[in-house]
Amino acid sequence: MGTTPTQVLAFPNIRAIVRDNGTAEVVVAGNSRVVPAGDTVQELRNNALALIVGEAQTLKRPVRVRIEDPEGNGELIVHPDNKIESVSYDPRQARRRAEAPETTPKTVVPAIIETVPAPEPAATPAAPATVPAPPAPVGAQPWPHAHVAADTVPVPANPEPQTADALTEEAAPTRRSLKETSFLVSAPVLEPATQGWRGTLTRLGLRMDPSEEELTEREDVRTVSQHWPGPRTIAVVNRKGGANKTPTVVMLSAILARYSGAATVAWDNNESQGTLGWRTEKGAHDRSVLDLIDASTELLSPATNAAEIAKFVHHQTADKFDVLRSDENEEGDHEVTAEEVDIAHQVLTRYYRLVVMDSGNTARAANWRRMIDHTNQLVVPVTAIEDRAEAARLTLQTLESRGGHDAELARGAVVIVSESTDTKRSMSGEALKRAKAEAQRIADGFAPFVRAVVRIPYDPALVNGPIRYEALQPATQRAWLAAAAAVAAGF
C-alpha cells in the first residue's frame, strides 16, 4: 500500500524544477540546490531525485516534493531508501492540429498523431482529424518519462494532403507565459577548497574543488545560519543530573548565535537553582529569571526599548548569546510555576529569535511540563554512562506516552551522545577507548527511535569551569556544529 500525503510531514517545503533549457534546481525551504547537468530531461529528473533522496536520508523520513518540468507538474513522496511514489502528475495539454467532425469515432493513440486518410468510397474526402491521447496514469511511474515525440509516430504510406486550416494552425507559434520564462539560469559558482591538501593547493594558485567532508561542513554551516519566521524554542532535557545538559545548552546557543546572527538566549529553567550561571560569563548585575518575571509588565509594554532586556540577562562577549539565570539565592525557596514560565517565555520571545532552555531533573515539575508546551525542538543529551542513557530513554518514553505534541517532540528529538564520563578531567588510553565504544553503543541504541543522533568526542574544556567555544579542540567544534545543524533541521 502506498503512502498518502497526509502521512508525510509537509516541511521542509521541497520543489524540483526541470527546465527545457537544460537546467534544473531543487529548492529546499527556500534554498536552491544545484542539480548536476544532464543531456536529457529524464537525466535532469534523475539527478534532481538523487538530491531529494539525500534530503530524505538526512531527515530519516519520507518527504513530499512538488515537481515541475516541461511536460507537466505534480507531487511525489520520496523515501530515504530510494523508493519514489507518485501522488499526482498533470501533463501539459497537447495542442490539436485540426478539429475532428462529430461523426468521426475517437481513436486512442500516443501523444500527437498525424492526419488520417478518409475511406475511399466516400464521394468527398472527410476532413483529416486528430484526437489527442488521454494522459497515461502516473501511479505506476515515479516521475513520468518523456512522452513520445511527434516524429516517432508511424505515418500512413499515402497520407492525404493537409487542409489549409490545419497548416495554418500548425504554423502558429506556441506563446509561453512570461511567468514560465527566466533569464537567471546560471548555477552558483562552487567556492574552491579551503581545507586539507586541497586547500593548500588552492592557496598556491591551483584551484581545487572541496572534498566531501568540506562540502558537508559547508552544508551544516548553511543550515545553522538560517533565519526562521517567528521565534524557535529548544528544550534540552534528561531526568538524570550530570548528563551534559548545561554544556549542550551553551554549545548550541554559541553556534546558533555565532553563525545565524540571530538574537539568542540560554534560559536556565531549573525549578529552583540551576548551574547554567556557573558555566557561563556573569554580567554586571545579579538578576535572574525571577527579576525578569517581576518586570514583565514593563518589558512587554510597547513603549519599552529593546535594550532594556540587558538589565536581566548576562551577555557572553565571545560567543554572542545571552544567559537568563535561575534564582541563585541560597536563602530562597521559590519554585518556578507554570504560569511564570508562560510569562518569561512571552518576554523572551519578544526580544529573542532563539530560546535554548536548560532544565531540571524532574519531568513532573510544573515548570518542566510547561517548558515542553512551548518547545519546537527537543534535545536529549547523554554521556557514555549507562544510567544517563537509561534516564534519557525514560524521558523520551514519558513524553511519547503523553501523546500529541509531547509524543511528536519525542519522535523528532535529537540525541547528543558525549564520550565524557564522571571519572576525571583528563582521559586517555583504555579509558578513552572504552568511552568511545560505550558512546557508539548508546548512539546505535537510540537511532531507531529519534530523528537524529550525534556523537561528541571527549574534550577536557567541557568538563569544568566556564565553557567557551574557542577553547574546544577542532574535532569537538566540528562535532558540535553537526549537532546544531541536526537541531536546526527540525525547525
Side-chain angles (χ1 to χ4, degrees), residues 118-126:
E120 292 183 7
T124 304

Side-chain angles (χ1 to χ4, degrees), residues 5 7 9 40 48 50 102 126 154 184 210 244 274-275 333 438 447 490:
Q7 294 175 312
L9 296 176
T40 65
E102 294 181 0
L184 303 176
N244 233 34
T275 60
D333 57 0
E438 182 67 4

Side-chain angles (χ1 to χ4, degrees), residues 61-127:
R61 62 170 173 82
V63 295
R64 290 162 59 176
V65 185
R66 293 295 305 174
I67 56 175
E68 303 173 26
D69 62 29
E71 297 166 4
N73 59 81
E75 185 175 11
L76 304 177
I77 296 176
V78 179
H79 296 257
D81 60 358
N82 285 305
K83 178 183 176 184
I84 314 293
E85 297 183 73
S86 177
V87 177
S88 64
Y89 189 80
D90 298 322
R92 298 188 189 279
Q93 292 297 324
R95 59 185 177 86
R96 297 183 178 182
R97 297 195 178 176
E99 292 296 331
E102 294 181 0
T103 57
T104 304
K106 293 185 178 181
T107 305
V108 178
V109 290
I112 301 173
I113 68 168
E114 301 293 337
T115 56
V116 179
E120 292 183 7
T124 304

Side-chain angles (χ1 to χ4, degrees), residues 25-350:
E25 66 175 331
V26 171
V27 183
V28 181
N31 298 286
S32 179
R33 312 283 178 86
V34 180
V35 175
D39 295 330
T40 65
V41 169
Q42 192 58 42
E43 284 188 23
L44 287 171
R45 291 168 174 162
N46 295 339
N47 294 341
L49 284 174
L51 290 179
I52 298 167
V53 168
E55 188 71 22
Q57 291 172 346
T58 299
L59 297 175
K60 296 185 178 180
R61 62 170 173 82
V63 295
R64 290 162 59 176
V65 185
R66 293 295 305 174
I67 56 175
E68 303 173 26
D69 62 29
E71 297 166 4
N73 59 81
E75 185 175 11
L76 304 177
I77 296 176
V78 179
H79 296 257
D81 60 358
N82 285 305
K83 178 183 176 184
I84 314 293
E85 297 183 73
S86 177
V87 177
S88 64
Y89 189 80
D90 298 322
R92 298 188 189 279
Q93 292 297 324
R95 59 185 177 86
R96 297 183 178 182
R97 297 195 178 176
E99 292 296 331
E102 294 181 0
T103 57
T104 304
K106 293 185 178 181
T107 305
V108 178
V109 290
I112 301 173
I113 68 168
E114 301 293 337
T115 56
V116 179
E120 292 183 7
T124 304
T130 60
V131 179
V138 299
Q141 41 191 346
W143 194 334
H145 295 286
H147 297 304
V148 179
D151 58 2
T152 65
V153 178
V155 181
N158 298 306
E160 289 287 335
Q162 292 181 316
T163 65
D165 291 342
L167 290 173
T168 301
E169 185 173 351
E170 183 177 7
T174 301
R175 182 177 177 83
R176 295 181 60 190
S177 169
L178 287 173
K179 293 182 179 180
E180 300 174 359
T181 304
S182 175
F183 297 100
L184 303 176
V185 297
S186 299
V189 177
L190 182 65
E191 297 179 11
T194 60
Q195 300 177 3
W197 62 268
R198 295 169 181 263
T200 301
L201 291 178
T202 297
R203 288 187 289 273
L204 292 175
L206 182 61
R207 183 186 177 98
M208 298 292 293
D209 287 341
S211 64
E212 286 297 323
E213 291 79 7
E214 185 171 354
L215 288 174
T216 301
E217 181 173 344
R218 291 182 184 182
E219 180 62 18
D220 286 345
V221 169
R222 187 198 65 81
T223 301
V224 300
S225 300
Q226 302 297 315
H227 277 193
W228 301 271
R232 293 292 188 272
T233 300
I234 302 166
V236 179
V237 300
N238 189 318
R239 289 160 53 172
K240 181 72 174 176
N244 233 34
K245 291 194 294 291
T246 298
T248 298
V249 169
V250 175
M251 284 295 96
L252 293 180
S253 300
I255 292 171
L256 291 170
R258 278 170 166 263
Y259 284 101
S260 73
T264 304
V265 62
W267 170 11
D268 193 342
N269 186 44
N270 200 294
E271 55 268 20
S272 54
Q273 293 179 333
T275 60
L276 182 60
W278 303 350
R279 306 298 307 273
T280 54
E281 188 176 348
K282 185 180 180 299
H285 58 82
D286 295 317
R287 296 186 183 92
S288 70
V289 64
L290 298 185
D291 299 293
L292 179 137
I293 292 169
D294 290 340
S296 59
T297 302
E298 177 187 353
L299 290 171
L300 291 172
S301 169
T304 301
N305 190 287
E308 293 299 308
I309 193 68
K311 295 178 180 178
F312 305 93
V313 295
H314 303 260
H315 185 63
Q316 307 304 294
T317 54
D319 289 329
K320 311 306 180 187
F321 68 96
D322 294 341
V323 171
L324 179 62
R325 295 186 168 196
S326 61
D327 178 29
E328 297 179 0
N329 183 4
E330 292 292 344
E331 299 178 358
D333 57 0
H334 180 83
E335 292 191 0
V336 177
T337 66
E339 181 182 4
E340 289 171 333
V341 171
D342 289 340
I343 295 171
H345 189 267
Q346 184 180 5
V347 171
L348 292 179
T349 52
R350 177 182 175 183

Side-chain angles (χ1 to χ4, degrees), residues 19 70 118 142 357:
R19 305 183 183 90
M357 299 181 70

